[in-house]
Amino acid sequence: MDELYYTSIDLLKHLIATPSTSRNEEEAASIIVDFLSSNGHIPRRHGNNVWAIAPGYNNSLPTILLNSHIDTVKPVDGWSLDPYAPTIDASERLFGLGSNDAGASVVSLLAAFIYMSDKKRNYNLIILTSCEEEISGKAGIESAIPLLPPIDVAIVGEPTDMQPAIAEKGLMVLDGEITGKSGHAARNEGINAIYETLPIIDTLRNLKFDKESPTLGPVKISVTQIQAGTQHNVIPDICKIVVDVRTTDAYNNLETLELIRNAVPKCLLTPRSTRLNSSKISPHHPIVKRMKLLGATPFGSPTLSDQALMPWQSVKLGPGSSSRSHTANEFIYLTEIRHAIETYIKLLDGLTL
């Protein structure tokens, strides 16, 4: 265990020191390839997605996928440290971009994969480190899924304080357009598209649906951008809005879109994508039941991950705190990594699907 832990810390330092913002993960992917190879595994690579299959694969057995992502967001303003210089302070916090989201999960899952590869299992085990997660890019996990063997369930490494997220909200971004009629601002003429938009925004702000997810709560709708007008003395004939919709398992994205359109018929709504659906796993699934036995508390997550693109059941579980993600001076406690490795192994060792 100590060897796994120290190896994981060294690997995380290497990843932090290697810039890997979304669509620029080539070097980080190569690091994962080298790491798996040096530990006796045969890595496969598609773009910047890297995976390996544990020895003893058997088509008649169920398959567990371990997954986390190697890409990061761009460093925000406010870093007082070099985001690409891994630094450990007196409190044993490891600072660096991607340390919490999701480098700690990547290295902890890799450690558990290496450990469990030599163990007797009644399931197949695959590790996949994916790219472009932070932007839900099409070259990410979505492009690797068709190349994988059939998967029954996935454990997705994201910062959840090692509590299992058994449901996750999906996402739709909608572009809305409301029309009026242009005219001179000094005269009582025209139809102001901004004024036409105000009741629509109010409707969206207060919109409630009949069904509500018992785990994730209500669908969350937020108008986040608005644009209208060409100059001060012209009544605007078009007002454009952007709507952020966090969907739940009560409705799929297409159903949610139809409900919103029915609520604001005077607004032309066009989705940028409907592919990022909400996800969930049964609270009675063996993985969830085993996590409960280990003292964990299942919850519903408001944040998006690669779960949204997985066609199989998945649970989100990883070291670190979501509140540290995408922040200046991002960090992970070293003790969180040790605890994660131990917990992943306890979860997987002897698990029966």
Side-chain angles (χ1 to χ4, degrees):
M1 184 62 67
D2 282 346
E3 184 178 350
L4 283 172
Y5 165 70
Y6 289 116
T7 299
S8 298
I9 299 302
D10 288 341
L11 177 59
L12 181 52
K13 289 179 179 178
H14 195 182
L15 289 170
I16 290 171
T18 306
S20 57
T21 54
S22 301
R23 297 198 177 102
N24 296 287
E25 309 98 337
E26 293 87 354
E27 289 186 50
S30 295
I31 290 171
I32 301 297
V33 168
D34 292 343
F35 180 81
L36 286 167
S37 298
S38 66
N39 281 276
H41 293 278
I42 302 172
R44 281 93 163 165
R45 180 169 180 170
H46 178 70
N48 294 322
N49 304 286
V50 178
W51 67 95
I53 301 172
Y57 182 86
N58 185 331
N59 286 326
S60 65
L61 294 177
T63 299
I64 297 176
L65 175 71
L66 307 180
N67 165 250
S68 192
H69 64 92
I70 58 173
D71 63 316
T72 72
V73 296
K74 294 179 181 179
V76 298
D77 293 334
W79 275 84
S80 61
L81 303 169
D82 182 346
Y84 299 113
T87 305
I88 299 175
D89 71 359
S91 299
E92 293 201 321
R93 294 180 297 178
L94 173 56
F95 291 87
L97 184 63
S99 56
N100 178 78
D101 183 15
S105 291
V106 169
V107 301
S108 299
L109 284 169
L110 281 165
F113 173 77
I114 290 167
Y115 182 89
M116 291 303 303
S117 291
D118 295 329
K119 287 283 188 176
K120 185 177 180 180
R121 294 168 276 104
N122 65 351
Y123 56 84
N124 300 311
L125 190 62
I126 300 176
I127 182 81
L128 165 67
T129 60
S130 48
C131 65
E132 295 192 11
E133 188 272 348
E134 294 290 2
I135 57 171
S136 300
K138 289 185 177 294
I141 193 172
E142 190 174 23
S143 70
I145 285 174
L147 306 176
L148 299 175
I151 305 295
D152 292 273
V153 65
I155 299 171
V156 179
E158 289 281 341
T160 68
D161 295 301
M162 289 309 290
Q163 303 299 318
I166 62 172
E168 175 186 88
K169 285 191 173 181
L171 171 66
M172 277 194 302
V173 178
L174 309 179
D175 290 305
E177 186 173 298
I178 303 92
T179 58
K181 183 179 179 181
S182 61
H184 198 296
R187 301 169 61 87
N188 188 24
E189 59 187 22
I191 299 173
N192 194 318
I194 294 176
Y195 296 162
E196 295 294 301
T197 301
L198 295 178
I200 290 172
I201 291 176
D202 191 56
T203 297
L204 293 173
R205 180 182 182 183
N206 296 292
L207 187 57
K208 305 291 183 185
F209 300 138
D210 292 337
K211 293 190 293 183
E212 184 173 307
S213 168
T215 308
L216 296 170
V219 174
K220 181 72 169 62
I221 303 172
S222 304
V223 177
T224 54
Q225 292 177 271
I226 184 168
Q227 180 182 3
T230 56
Q231 61 188 58
H232 76 91
N233 58 351
V234 178
I235 297 296
D237 59 353
I238 293 178
C239 184
K240 296 181 179 181
I241 60 175
V242 176
V243 187
D244 180 286
V245 184
R246 302 292 165 154
T247 56
T248 75
D249 55 340
Y251 304 93
N252 65 39
N253 283 3
L254 289 175
E255 291 170 335
T256 304
L257 176 60
E258 189 64 23
L259 289 168
I260 297 174
R261 281 174 167 165
N262 291 339
V264 287
K266 291 185 178 181
C267 179
L268 177 62
L269 289 171
T270 304
R272 297 181 185 178
S273 170
T274 58
R275 60 195 254 274
L276 302 175
N277 281 287
S278 173
S279 61
K280 67 177 180 178
I281 191 172
S282 168
H284 306 295
H285 191 279
I287 287 179
V288 181
K289 291 170 69 175
R290 195 165 177 87
M291 284 303 301
K292 288 180 181 177
L293 288 174
L294 294 174
T297 303
F299 73 103
S301 172
T303 58
L304 193 72
S305 75
D306 273 339
Q307 285 182 286
L309 297 168
M310 293 180 178
W312 48 73
Q313 287 194 106
S314 58
V315 60
K316 187 159 63 177
L317 177 71
S321 174
S322 180
S323 63
R324 297 181 212 147
S325 300
H326 307 177
T327 62
N329 296 338
E330 179 185 353
F331 70 89
I332 187 77
Y333 284 99
L334 300 186
T335 52
E336 291 177 308
I337 295 175
R338 182 184 285 276
H339 174 64
I341 296 171
E342 293 172 350
T343 301
Y344 284 140
I345 289 173
K346 288 178 183 176
L347 169 62
L348 294 167
D349 200 1
L351 178 66
T352 300
L353 295 183

